[in-house]
Amino acid sequence: MFVSTFVFTSVHSEASNDVNYSNDVIYQIVTDRFYDGNPENNPNGDIFSENCSNLHKYCGGDWQGIIEKINDGYLTDMGVTAIWISQPVENVYALHPSGYTSYHGYWARDYKKTNPFFGSLSDFDRLIDTAHSNGIKIIMDFTPNHSSPALETDPSYAENGAVYNNGTLLATYSNDPNNFFHHNGGTDFSSYEDSIYRNLYDLADYNLNNEVLDQYLKESIKLWLDRGVDGIRVDAVKHMSQGWQESLMSEIYSHRPVFTFGEWFLGKGEISQQNHYFANESGMSLLDFRYGQTITEVLKDGTANWYDFNKMIQNTAENYDEVIDQVTFIDNHDMSRFSDEGSPNRYTDMALAVLLTSRGVPTIYYGTEQYLTGSKDPNNRKQMENFNISTNSYKIISQLAQVRKSNPAVGYGDTQERWINSDVYIYERQFGNNIVLTAVNSGTSPQNITNLSTALPGGTYRDELNHILDGNSISVTQDGSVESFQLSPKGVAVWQFNGPSTTPMIGHVGPMTGKAGNPITISGEGFGSSEGTVQFGSTNASILSWSETEIQVRVPDVTAGKYDITVSNAKGTISNKYHEFEIVTGNQIAIRFGVNNAYTEPDENVYIVGNVSELGNWDPDKAIGPMFNQVAYEYPTWYYDISVPASKEIEYKFIKKDSSGNVVWESGSNHVYTTPAQGTDTIIANWQ
Ligand code: NOJ
Ligand code: NOJ
Ligand code: CA
Ligand code: CA
């Protein structure tokens, strides 16, 4: 029985589990390009392109269009269980001097209003209700990094970055006495700091240390959550301080927890420690660009092979604490589409089959199932031309979405390479006794597969893709060896076994962080129908609901820090451990800490460490930094925006660390600072 004892302020229907997307398939829609369900709301004049011949302009797609495509079964029959829509908020109306418009939704003007070209608030409510009654979650894009294009010196450029609070002007870029924006020029992407505190292209970059703006953005996202939004995709997370974003996540998770993932773009071959740190510590997941780039290299560019892919799978499993929560894809609106004119659609089909059976939450970019092409923005954002439900891609998505839904090995399992050469990859996903085995041959000759082992129990297994990609059945002996078979050229087969556990097994915990009292959902199987206990470390959590596969609890009131979670069923059988759930000290706010006169040797950087877990509990290895010293303040002043508990007396010190880990502490007594109850602040000390 599902008993929800905590009260949501939402006025609209809820989809089932908003913090666990492991069994879902996300479909990413550029709202303007999907389907025009209401020509009445299309823009007039020069920002509209009647037949979508100018891809920089609005083409008419809207929420009514999405509603119609839910109602006619196009999305549900494809197996889509979540839709990521363009940012729904009001955007600029101006035509950009280069002929661009805000059809993509990334140029916000007023976060408390809707983009009228997508629909009214009641259209939005109908979209939410239609989605929910069809088992679909709605994820909204959100851009708290910037407003819109602006030039410091030319107020007539676009809309001068103007941002409004429900109709009241807050600031423009060239008239900004209260510092809503950074005025540090555009970033050259040369460092993390430069990317955060300077403009991304010509986009007016927010000063998130401004308390009116901080409150406005947090209030705004809560309004959308209250309308029933089930997930958030945060734009440009590499361009905002992690500290502010942690305070945002704390606000969201204390208000109404939903799965949140950020966009941290990585190019081909790019691996970033900061990206891993962000995914592990910020409270939100990330779009898995490393996955997307690698599968592109293997199946589209031919510049990498399955050994590289397998290495990526193994490395990311180590780099990301919650690899199953990272959001995977084969292409998106900022990359070349996977399908190419002139090259066979078969590679898109194979890539989708791999995507949907891999770890991570898969996202299908709209139109991939129709083999839309286009290598660069805006050609990779063409309008949907047809909604053909008999393409191979459509059928593959539909088949494998079912497997994802019914077999927890896909959502929760780890990945084991079972057979590999440069053309062939056979990998097994396993969660308890649930198994999904996938074989792909990207080469143009058949491959003899001998000596393949599997955890599948003895028996014969049919291809879950129904031979759409020329897959075969396999026979497995009692000892787990697969009888030799031929894997077809450009063939993919998927075999599965459902073996539900009778003892508790945790597959997923969400959100991955929270303060005492926040609701947390634990998913898995074998929990039993009668209530047992859930422990954070050695403390029992109070239970809100309990079922065979899903438990809701409240984060217990214990000292902040990282705690392993276990579930015991009613008979006392204990589950596997979910590692290091992070309990934060309380409501979080973002504070700018700084230190003057901190002179360092080459190879030394300044960090901050203090008496709360957010400041590393005096452990120099967990000190926050390296702090910055180039843009907002300059060396020998160092600064960093950090999420810390509100209304709390904090003690801290600055330290110098070099790359070998040598630590120099400040002398004197600890700095002491009481954080405000809400808002933001800046506190600058002198190095002592
Ligand atoms: C990343 C988005 O995906 C991209 O399309 C957008 O232009 C930039 N962020 C700026 O919002
Ligand atoms: C840890 C102590 O708790 C703190 O008070 C002190 O300032 C530093 N170590 C440096 O000695
Ligand atoms: Ca329209
Ligand atoms: Ca920024």
Side-chain angles (χ1 to χ4, degrees):
M1 263 276 74
F2 187 91
V3 191
S4 182
T5 49
F6 50 92
V7 182
F8 289 129
T9 40
S10 175
V11 283
H12 294 282
S13 54
E14 302 289 333
S16 51
N17 185 340
D18 283 350
V19 292
N20 179 10
Y21 277 58
S22 308
N23 311 308
D24 286 312
V25 173
I26 303 176
Y27 187 75
Q28 179 196 350
I29 290 179
V30 175
T31 304
D32 179 63
R33 299 295 154 86
F34 189 60
Y35 191 61
D36 186 356
N38 177 14
E40 302 280 286
N41 62 16
N42 296 351
N44 295 313
D46 59 5
I47 60 170
F48 185 60
S49 175
E50 188 66 51
N51 48 10
C52 208
S53 55
N54 183 340
L55 287 169
H56 287 298
K57 300 194 171 184
Y58 277 93
C59 295
D62 48 30
W63 297 326
Q64 181 59 35
I66 301 174
I67 291 171
E68 287 175 24
K69 289 294 151 196
I70 295 174
N71 283 334
D72 77 4
Y74 182 77
L75 295 166
T76 44
D77 291 348
M78 205 187 341
V80 167
T81 52
I83 301 172
W84 154 14
I85 57 170
S86 302
Q87 180 166 235
V89 313
E90 185 186 51
N91 268 233
V92 296
Y93 298 98
L95 186 66
H96 184 282
S98 308
Y100 308 150
T101 71
S102 198
Y103 73 89
H104 42 64
Y106 290 116
W107 298 348
R109 182 181 198 273
D110 194 328
Y111 294 82
K112 294 189 180 172
K113 293 187 168 180
T114 69
N115 183 328
F117 310 132
F118 298 162
S120 64
L121 204 51
S122 68
D123 294 328
F124 188 80
D125 291 345
R126 282 190 307 108
L127 171 63
I128 294 279
D129 287 341
T130 309
H132 289 180
S133 51
N134 285 277
I136 291 178
K137 305 171 186 174
I138 295 287
I139 301 165
M140 67 174 263
D141 220 315
F142 182 48
T143 60
N145 175 63
H146 54 260
S147 58
S148 62
L151 273 193
E152 194 81 63
T153 49
D154 180 4
S156 72
Y157 185 91
E159 292 189 16
N160 197 13
V163 58
Y164 297 81
N165 180 354
N166 204 14
T168 305
L169 180 68
L170 291 175
T172 62
Y173 196 53
S174 64
N175 182 12
D176 182 22
N178 298 316
N179 286 311
F180 277 74
F181 295 104
H182 291 139
H183 298 276
N184 303 319
T187 180
D188 60 6
F189 303 93
S190 58
S191 71
Y192 190 26
E193 178 184 9
D194 200 86
S195 305
I196 294 173
Y197 298 98
R198 298 190 202 276
N199 298 348
L200 180 58
Y201 317 116
D202 60 359
L203 300 168
D205 201 59
Y206 289 140
N207 169 20
L208 297 166
N209 192 39
N210 174 299
E211 76 178 33
V212 176
L213 185 66
D214 166 76
Q215 193 190 339
Y216 169 59
L217 290 168
K218 287 171 178 169
E219 255 169 39
S220 301
I221 194 64
K222 288 192 269 188
L223 288 183
W224 291 97
L225 290 172
D226 290 348
R227 303 222 78 88
V229 162
D230 309 282
I232 305 167
R233 179 267 193 193
V234 183
D235 189 59
V237 297
K238 188 185 175 178
H239 300 278
M240 295 173 277
S241 74
Q242 183 167 325
W244 185 78
Q245 295 180 84
E246 286 176 18
S247 75
L248 172 72
M249 293 322 298
S250 147
E251 199 83 16
I252 292 170
Y253 292 156
S254 305
H255 183 76
R256 188 173 155 247
V258 299
F259 183 59
T260 303
F261 56 98
E263 177 240 359
W264 181 305
F265 191 91
L266 296 174
K268 287 192 177 132
E270 202 182 339
I271 297 171
S272 155
Q273 295 314 312
Q274 278 157 346
N275 167 293
H276 303 148
Y277 183 78
F278 187 94
N280 295 340
E281 303 295 334
S282 69
M284 73 174 99
S285 299
L286 287 176
L287 281 159
D288 194 345
F289 276 87
R290 203 164 148 200
Y291 184 98
Q293 299 287 15
T294 308
I295 196 159
T296 301
E297 289 176 308
V298 176
L299 283 175
K300 179 176 161 73
D301 305 345
T303 53
N305 61 34
W306 293 111
Y307 291 106
D308 304 298
F309 187 86
N310 184 49
K311 200 167 124 200
M312 176 277 298
I313 290 289
Q314 289 175 344
N315 290 349
T316 49
E318 286 164 20
N319 298 146
Y320 292 121
D321 290 347
E322 300 310 330
V323 75
I324 64 169
D325 271 334
Q326 310 310 313
V327 179
T328 51
F329 54 90
I330 65 169
D331 58 4
N332 65 33
H333 62 307
D334 295 326
M335 295 165 79
S336 174
R337 282 217 183 244
F338 210 91
S339 298
D340 275 326
E341 239 124 310
S343 95
N345 294 337
R346 184 67 173 230
Y347 290 100
T348 303
D349 294 340
M350 288 190 281
L352 285 171
V354 173
L355 175 75
L356 288 157
T357 49
S358 292
R359 95 289 180 286
V361 180
T363 301
I364 315 285
Y365 183 41
Y366 83 95
T368 301
E369 75 284 12
Q370 302 297 336
Y371 309 107
L372 278 186
T373 60
S375 56
K376 279 209 176 110
D377 162 10
N379 291 323
N380 55 359
R381 304 169 181 189
K382 286 182 230 164
Q383 208 171 26
M384 280 291 271
E385 273 159 11
N386 41 55
F387 292 85
N388 181 354
I389 61 168
S390 55
T391 69
N392 276 349
S393 279
Y394 186 96
K395 291 189 220 156
I396 290 163
I397 298 165
S398 171
Q399 281 301 114
L400 295 179
Q402 288 314 314
V403 176
R404 271 201 98 87
K405 231 181 189 164
S406 58
N407 193 322
V410 192
Y412 308 141
D414 51 20
T415 308
Q416 193 184 350
E417 173 257 297
R418 287 294 197 175
W419 207 102
I420 191 164
N421 67 29
S422 45
D423 286 339
V424 173
Y425 187 46
I426 304 182
Y427 55 99
E428 192 156 76
R429 310 290 318 288
Q430 179 165 13
F431 179 68
N433 298 318
N434 303 292
I435 314 283
V436 174
L437 183 66
T438 303
V440 50
N441 172 11
S442 54
T444 48
S445 336
Q447 292 266 352
N448 269 324
I449 309 297
T450 54
N451 296 320
L452 172 66
S453 306
T454 177
L456 287 166
T460 300
Y461 295 88
R462 53 174 281 275
D463 172 25
E464 295 293 330
L465 283 170
N466 297 328
H467 318 295
I468 302 172
L469 296 176
D470 302 324
N472 50 286
S473 299
I474 51 170
S475 298
V476 178
T477 61
Q478 292 310 322
D479 67 350
S481 30
V482 182
E483 281 175 23
S484 303
F485 64 94
Q486 271 212 340
L487 190 58
S488 305
K490 299 184 195 167
V492 184
V494 178
W495 307 285
Q496 67 156 332
F497 178 78
N498 248 293
S501 174
T502 50
T503 57
M505 296 225 340
I506 302 179
H508 184 271
V509 170
M512 54 181 121
T513 172
K515 64 169 199 229
N518 281 5
I520 299 294
T521 305
I522 300 167
S523 310
E525 58 179 30
F527 299 150
S529 49
S530 38
E531 205 170 295
T533 59
V534 172
Q535 298 199 305
F536 285 60
S538 54
T539 307
N540 278 355
S542 71
I543 289 160
L544 298 168
S545 71
W546 186 288
S547 79
E548 179 66 30
T549 57
E550 195 171 292
I551 302 168
Q552 284 185 305
V553 297
R554 281 190 202 284
V555 176
D557 191 2
V558 290
T559 316
K562 294 194 172 171
Y563 291 83
D564 292 343
I565 300 177
T566 49
V567 171
S568 306
N569 65 13
K571 291 182 204 139
T573 310
I574 303 175
S575 71
N576 58 320
K577 268 187 186 145
Y578 172 88
H579 291 286
E580 303 209 324
F581 178 90
E582 183 173 5
I583 301 184
V584 295
T585 310
N587 284 334
Q588 301 282 301
I589 53 176
I591 300 295
R592 181 163 298 171
F593 288 89
V595 56
N596 289 322
N597 299 321
Y599 294 93
T600 47
E601 301 295 331
D603 189 42
E604 263 183 347
N605 278 295
V606 173
Y607 294 71
I608 180 173
V609 62
N611 68 347
V612 285
S613 73
E614 289 83 350
L615 292 178
N617 277 329
W618 292 122
D619 177 355
D621 289 338
K622 294 189 179 134
I624 308 299
M627 296 173 75
F628 297 140
N629 60 16
Q630 302 285 319
V631 183
Y633 298 89
E634 285 176 39
Y635 181 86
T637 298
W638 300 65
Y639 67 100
Y640 215 65
D641 293 322
I642 306 174
S643 180
V644 288
S647 304
K648 173 113 186 148
E649 186 183 274
I650 291 177
E651 294 187 26
Y652 60 97
K653 275 193 166 177
F654 297 95
I655 59 174
K656 295 174 187 171
K657 274 207 289 191
D658 65 16
S659 57
S660 345
N662 297 310
V663 175
V664 178
W665 286 84
E666 272 188 292
S667 57
S669 50
N670 299 332
H671 304 285
V672 181
Y673 164 64
T674 301
T675 60
Q678 56 189 35
T680 62
D681 199 6
T682 297
I683 171 87
I684 311 268
N686 291 314
W687 178 271
Q688 56 192 22

